[in-house]
Amino acid sequence: MEFAELREAIEKMELVDSHAHNIVPFESSLAFINSLSEATGHALSFAAHSLSFKRNLREIAELYGTESSLDAVEQYRRSSGLQAISSKCFKAAGISAILIDDGLKLDKKHDIRWHKTFVPFVGRILRIERLAEEILDAELPDGSIWTLDAFNETFLKSLRSVANEIVGLKSIAAYRSGLEINPHVTREDAEIGLSEVLQSGKPVRITNKSFIDHILTCSLEVALQFDLPLQIHTGFGDKDLDLRLSNPLHLRTLLEDTRFSGCRIVLLHASYPFSKEASYLASVYSQVYLDFGLAIPKLSVHGMISSVKELLELAPIKKVMFSTDAYATPETYYLGAKRAREVIFSVLRDACIDRDLSIAEAIEASKDIFVQNAIQLYKINLGRELFDSKPSESPSYMIGTYVPEHSVSLVRIIWVDASGQHRCRVVPKKRFDDVVKKNGVGLTFACMGMTSAIDGPAEETNLTGTGEIRLMPDISTRREIPWTKQEEMVLADMHLKPGEAWEYCPREALRRVSKVLKDEFNLVMNAGFENEFYLLKKLERDGKEEWVPIDSKPYCSFSGFDALSTLFQEIIAALNSLNVVVEQLHAEAGKGQFEMALGHTACTYAADNLIFTREVVRAVASKRGLLATFVPKYALDDIGSGSHVHLSLWQNGKNVFVASDASSPHGMSKLGEEFMAGVLYHLPSILAFTAPLPNSYDRIQPNTWSGAYQCWGKENREAPLRTACPPGIPNGFVSNFEIKSFDGCANPHLGLAAIIAAGIDGLRRHLHLPDPIDANPATLEGKLQRLPKSLSESLEALQKDNVVSEMIGEKLFVAIKGVRKAEIDYYSKNKDAYKQLIHRY
């Protein structure tokens, strides 16, 4: 079999080195020999007798035209100078881009900019533990001792401030405490860990496992927000690493955490000697990628070939990447690149001989491994053609301009405003990838002051057309649009500038209160929404357009669902493609009304999923000439539509809303009762967030299962708060509680933020629930407090509620009040204007 074409393609390919380190000047205290071995101290005296050392020294000597001895090579280096040998090594290596982890401590190392003299593109990988150590080495401005809150604020701010200037993050947890990362580390353990770190003195070296786990978890949140890959050192390294703890299988708990399933994790160094384990992980976890730097060129030829073969036993080729792991000397770049070409050729040649690959597939695989995988993962844009062996025959392999077949052409950037309306900006995909992803798009301050009736800022919001924010895509939410070809959509955060959240951002408000819940009580609130909506069809009557219900079928009607089963099949298929879980759906009691229940997840994701769900339902219905509306009271003489939400509390992956034993009087834990009691206490003001329009209160009426009185009940659907005991939960225990007074006009992030704020107050004050109401509250007139009957009353309650207002944030609170006042004024003067809401919600 002829392999000349494969060899030529590999030899002429310009490489992307996706993991390396800084070069040091000759006057550095780091000796040249150190760069050729992982050994240190007395062990270094034996390094010259290893196979890899002898081979690497000989190859450097051949490049320089010297004798194959350490003295001869070092003499050549000194006489030529660093600039000259660097140019020679990089040219011989054929490297077009390098990604540098500059967190490795090297004496007198050159900064990243220095390296740009030798390659077209140099990107920075930020080492998170080093950043944390630099922060703790510094003094607080007021001279106080570092607290966890102060560290978190500084660390996250630092990460976000450089997120648009780096290509990825890196962790060396394997060196410090091992890879058995606990992503649910408690606040208390993190605080103890920080204290131990500080007590060890300066310069700070972080080794406490709980604190390292905390740092890594915080970093993953930022990685998700900015779509940054996270490199993790795995397998062998310097002797201060415990090899037993660097097996990547220890990462399973982290990889199973659904919060971070969208964060791409790169296992470095072929995880040697755990290459098979790494290959397995990359095959079963979509977020896991592999990098074989260090294993090449630090192993024997047989060891290098066998480790790469083991990586490819299970791992998809699209997930395996080249790097040199070079450091200190330019020769390490040359050696890594030269040997990698030879090893990959050998491995792919054998794959062709074994008939795993054809020659064409092997060439394609080499391009993926050496170039394309890194370009796409790290979003590298060189803006010039890849020096391929046959560039004219491979137009799809252009560095920075690769566009896959059937690619999307437009991206919709979505935000939801204070009035709960979904809005979007649309940009061409190329501009999105080149500019918008890092820098966002401009948006007027007025965007968070608009009402459901007028696309302009309400008077008392303190927001005007003067001033601009950045609408920053949250890349973790980027999705292909299921109902239209060649388009994507992505949810956005609001920033004053990239990395600096705007105080009016709803998604940030939910993150902020969720963080308080997590930090103070180690709790996460899960949410699952039930979406009620009407499907309307258009009629022409007397030359006028009119929208009427699609049918008159009763509640849970078999025929009502049957008539629209193909529509719902398309809706559910679309939601499945967006990773939104649908648990059940049915025809509701209103004419043309339906309900769809979503699975529960962490509240930040639940709010995002609700936005996607509304868009899917509306879009798929529109394709069939129907109008889907989530308006609370579409017709005043029919049943209203809600967006009921089921809530539970989770701690370290366990639902702690459920009582631990049968002695609990309500079947819920003390934490669950206090949280729910806080929500019940603040419910009148919460309604200003969850029922945000005057039309919302046409729905919240007695005897309509919407929850009109301030009470709670066990499985009582007339109570606004209902504890639930779904199938699978032992009798007498409850797994969650439902809030009925939440509708489809609410901004889900703001609504959930207000609920958490109230729950936190309940936890802080150890509030207790009153006795549950088992009867219809309407029959107990005079004994129960009526919830606000209008938006005016709920706004009045909100203005008196210091707890919710402080937790939400003063500026956002003012804007919400201004929007609600404008809604009240407009609809009081325009009695029939609510009929137009079907086109906005």
Side-chain angles (χ1 to χ4, degrees):
M1 186 177 289
E2 182 57 57
F3 297 104
E5 185 180 3
L6 173 61
R7 182 181 290 280
E8 183 182 13
I10 291 175
E11 286 179 351
K12 290 187 175 181
M13 200 173 296
E14 290 192 11
L15 313 184
V16 176
D17 184 351
S18 55
H19 180 252
H21 305 279
N22 308 65
I23 291 173
V24 301
F26 287 168
E27 59 268 25
S28 171
S29 60
L30 189 78
F32 171 66
I33 191 175
N34 287 97
S35 66
L36 300 180
S37 174
E38 289 298 287
T40 58
H42 183 63
L44 193 59
S45 62
F46 294 93
H49 304 288
S50 68
L51 298 180
S52 66
F53 187 97
K54 292 178 180 295
R55 182 193 67 245
N56 289 333
L57 183 63
R58 183 172 61 254
E59 291 182 345
I60 295 171
E62 290 173 356
L63 175 67
Y64 291 161
T66 69
E67 294 180 7
S68 183
S69 71
L70 191 59
D71 287 342
V73 167
E74 289 192 300
Q75 183 178 350
Y76 179 89
R77 297 180 86 244
R78 288 190 297 269
S79 63
S80 300
L82 184 60
Q83 289 287 130
I85 65 170
S86 294
S87 294
K88 191 177 190 72
C89 287
F90 278 109
K91 183 178 179 180
I95 294 174
S96 61
I98 54 175
L99 310 183
I100 293 180
D101 161 23
D102 61 350
L104 181 62
K105 292 183 179 180
L106 297 169
D107 181 45
K108 299 183 177 65
K109 66 185 178 185
H110 287 293
D111 63 20
I112 285 180
R113 287 175 296 177
W114 181 88
H115 300 75
K116 293 182 179 180
T117 306
F118 309 105
V119 291
F121 179 91
V122 181
R124 183 189 180 200
I125 300 289
L126 177 65
R127 187 181 292 206
I128 58 176
E129 291 87 0
R130 183 68 194 125
L131 173 63
E133 288 168 348
E134 289 173 350
I135 289 171
L136 295 177
D137 273 331
E139 299 290 339
L140 282 167
D142 61 359
S144 60
I145 297 175
W146 282 102
T147 64
L148 187 63
D149 286 337
F151 169 79
N152 288 346
E153 181 181 357
T154 307
F155 181 71
L156 291 173
K157 185 177 180 180
S158 298
L159 273 185
R160 289 170 178 147
S161 68
V162 299
N164 291 312
E165 303 167 7
I166 62 177
V167 294
L169 303 175
K170 179 185 175 182
S171 171
I172 55 165
Y175 269 102
R176 303 298 178 82
S177 57
L179 295 182
E180 197 168 355
I181 307 298
N182 174 17
H184 300 286
V185 61
T186 65
R187 177 183 176 84
E188 181 182 3
D189 286 343
E191 287 176 332
I192 293 172
L194 172 60
S195 177
E196 290 183 1
V197 168
L198 295 174
Q199 288 173 11
S200 298
K202 295 181 180 180
V204 170
R205 188 174 189 275
I206 301 171
T207 58
N208 179 273
K209 183 181 186 308
S210 293
F211 193 55
I212 288 173
D213 293 351
H214 173 75
I215 291 170
L216 184 56
T217 304
C218 291
S219 301
L220 284 170
E221 294 173 357
V222 176
L224 274 174
Q225 182 181 358
F226 289 90
D227 193 29
L228 293 170
L230 173 70
Q231 299 180 346
I232 297 183
H233 184 111
T234 60
F236 75 136
D238 300 337
K239 73 172 185 177
D240 58 338
L241 174 147
D242 187 337
L243 191 60
R244 296 167 298 180
L245 300 179
S246 64
N247 186 328
L249 293 181
H250 288 304
L251 292 169
R252 187 175 183 276
T253 301
L254 176 64
L255 298 177
E256 289 287 325
D257 193 317
T258 56
R259 294 174 298 165
F260 307 123
S261 59
C263 184
R264 293 154 304 152
I265 293 175
V266 184
L267 307 181
L268 297 175
H269 313 318
S271 297
Y272 182 84
F274 310 110
S275 302
K276 287 186 176 181
E277 289 87 341
S279 179
Y280 166 74
L281 292 175
S283 72
V284 297
Y285 291 102
S286 62
Q287 70 268 41
V288 173
Y289 293 74
L290 307 176
D291 182 299
F292 54 74
L294 184 62
I296 298 175
K298 290 293 177 68
L299 303 179
S300 69
V301 172
H302 172 76
M304 291 185 289
I305 292 173
S306 62
S307 65
V308 173
K309 282 187 174 181
E310 286 180 347
L311 288 185
L312 293 178
E313 285 181 1
L314 288 172
I317 292 170
K318 293 286 186 182
K319 288 185 166 191
V320 178
M321 288 171 290
F322 155 77
S323 77
T324 61
D325 195 39
Y327 80 104
T329 68
E331 290 88 349
T332 53
Y333 284 91
Y334 166 68
L335 293 171
K338 181 180 187 299
R339 187 52 59 176
R341 292 182 198 268
E342 295 171 0
V343 169
I344 292 300
F345 169 74
S346 177
V347 170
L348 295 180
R349 178 199 61 200
D350 289 352
C352 292
I353 292 171
D354 294 337
R355 303 184 66 80
D356 280 337
L357 296 174
S358 66
I359 295 291
E361 288 171 333
I363 292 173
E364 194 80 0
S366 68
K367 294 173 180 177
D368 285 338
I369 291 169
F370 280 124
V371 183
Q372 284 305 128
N373 293 345
I375 284 176
Q376 294 178 26
L377 186 71
Y378 297 102
K379 312 290 190 304
I380 301 170
N381 187 349
L382 289 183
R384 66 189 185 92
E385 292 188 12
L386 175 65
F387 185 51
D388 202 346
S389 58
K390 293 187 177 181
S392 60
E393 295 180 9
S394 305
S396 61
Y397 281 91
M398 306 276 284
I399 291 185
T401 60
Y402 173 66
V403 181
E405 189 180 359
H406 309 306
S407 67
V408 298
S409 60
L410 297 173
V411 182
R412 304 181 191 182
I413 307 168
I414 303 170
W415 77 96
V416 182
D417 65 18
S419 65
Q421 294 180 84
H422 295 197
R423 302 180 187 268
C424 75
R425 288 283 183 87
V426 184
V427 297
K429 179 180 182 294
K430 186 176 188 309
R431 177 168 176 78
F432 181 88
D433 288 333
D434 291 349
V435 178
V436 174
K437 185 167 56 182
K438 294 264 185 188
N439 302 305
V441 295
L443 194 66
T444 173
F445 277 10
C447 67
M448 280 298 287
M450 297 178 180
T451 69
S452 64
I454 300 172
D455 287 336
E459 288 185 4
E460 297 185 35
T461 58
N462 286 346
L463 296 168
T464 69
T466 300
E468 185 172 87
I469 63 165
R470 310 305 296 174
L471 199 61
M472 297 297 299
D474 177 354
I475 302 300
S476 69
T477 68
R478 190 175 183 177
R479 304 284 189 272
E480 288 187 7
I481 295 181
W483 61 85
T484 184
K485 293 181 179 179
Q486 292 191 312
E487 289 191 38
E488 291 181 340
M489 58 184 172
V490 61
L491 300 177
D493 293 314
M494 297 172 174
H495 288 194
L496 281 172
K497 60 182 180 181
E500 183 180 340
W502 193 38
E503 292 168 283
Y504 296 85
C505 178
R507 297 181 85 234
E508 183 64 22
L510 179 54
R511 289 193 198 102
R512 191 166 56 246
V513 294
S514 296
K515 184 177 183 299
V516 175
L517 182 65
K518 175 69 174 176
D519 288 348
E520 286 194 26
F521 303 101
N522 192 29
L523 293 173
V524 174
M525 186 179 81
N526 273 20
F529 284 95
E530 297 175 0
N531 294 272
E532 293 176 335
F533 54 92
Y534 277 87
L535 291 174
L536 309 177
K537 59 185 178 182
K538 184 165 65 174
L539 294 180
E540 295 282 345
R541 290 180 181 173
D542 300 326
K544 294 182 179 180
E545 177 185 283
E546 185 177 347
W547 291 92
V548 300
I550 194 170
D551 62 30
S552 300
K553 301 297 192 300
Y555 172 72
C556 282
S557 163
F558 191 102
S559 59
F561 175 79
D562 198 42
L564 293 166
S565 64
T566 57
L567 177 142
F568 284 114
Q569 288 170 15
E570 185 175 354
I571 287 173
I572 292 176
L575 290 173
N576 284 341
S577 74
L578 299 174
N579 295 320
V580 177
V581 176
V582 177
E583 292 195 341
Q584 60 178 304
L585 56 94
H586 62 267
E588 257 297 346
K591 298 179 179 67
Q593 189 185 33
F594 295 85
E595 179 181 300
M596 178 182 297
L598 306 181
H600 72 90
T601 185
C603 61
T604 49
Y605 300 122
D608 292 348
N609 287 346
L610 182 62
I611 294 168
F612 284 140
T613 300
R614 292 171 180 170
E615 290 300 328
V616 167
V617 171
R618 283 194 284 249
V620 175
S622 179
K623 284 175 58 178
R624 296 171 181 249
L626 302 176
L627 188 152
T629 179
F630 296 85
V631 168
K633 199 73 168 179
Y634 144 71
L636 299 184
D637 60 351
D638 206 342
I639 296 296
S641 290
S643 188
H644 312 158
V645 61
H646 289 256
L647 305 170
S648 54
L649 296 174
W650 294 70
Q651 194 173 76
N652 301 328
K654 179 182 179 182
N655 186 349
V656 294
F657 191 85
V658 185
S660 58
D661 57 62
S663 64
S664 172
H666 303 308
M668 67 185 86
S669 66
K670 184 174 181 290
L671 285 172
E673 179 181 354
E674 290 178 356
F675 186 90
M676 185 174 164
V679 175
L680 179 61
Y681 178 84
H682 291 280
L683 193 55
S685 55
I686 290 174
L687 260 63
F689 295 87
T690 61
L693 298 181
N695 183 258
S696 301
Y697 299 83
D698 293 327
R699 168 184 167 263
I700 303 175
Q701 298 293 327
N703 302 310
T704 59
W705 291 11
S706 59
Y709 293 86
Q710 192 170 359
C711 64
W712 75 282
K714 298 179 178 179
E715 301 291 5
N716 185 348
R717 283 170 169 76
E718 277 292 344
L721 303 186
R722 172 181 74 93
T723 55
C725 179
I729 301 298
N731 188 40
F733 291 82
V734 296
S735 63
N736 63 83
F737 72 100
E738 177 189 25
I739 298 182
K740 310 285 285 185
S741 43
F742 202 124
D743 66 44
C745 294
N747 180 310
H749 294 92
L750 293 179
L752 292 176
I755 290 167
I756 294 177
I760 289 172
D761 186 50
L763 290 167
R764 285 173 174 172
R765 295 199 287 147
H766 304 293
L767 298 181
H768 294 283
L769 286 168
D771 291 336
I773 301 300
D774 297 326
N776 182 348
T779 65
L780 304 174
E781 189 73 39
K783 297 181 180 180
L784 294 175
Q785 179 70 38
R786 179 75 158 86
L787 284 174
K789 298 178 182 179
S790 66
L791 181 56
S792 297
E793 290 184 15
S794 66
L795 182 58
E796 183 181 351
L798 179 61
Q799 290 171 324
K800 298 175 182 177
D801 195 326
N802 293 331
V803 169
V804 173
S805 63
E806 289 177 5
M807 291 286 286
I808 293 298
E810 181 182 354
K811 290 183 178 179
L812 179 56
F813 180 66
V814 169
I816 291 168
K817 288 194 300 180
V819 170
R820 301 296 183 263
K821 286 182 180 180
E823 305 277 18
I824 294 166
D825 181 63
Y826 180 83
Y827 290 103
S828 67
K829 295 175 181 176
N830 300 275
K831 298 298 184 184
D832 290 334
Y834 76 91
K835 295 178 181 178
Q836 296 303 309
L837 293 174
I838 58 173
H839 301 292
R840 288 188 175 251
Y841 298 95

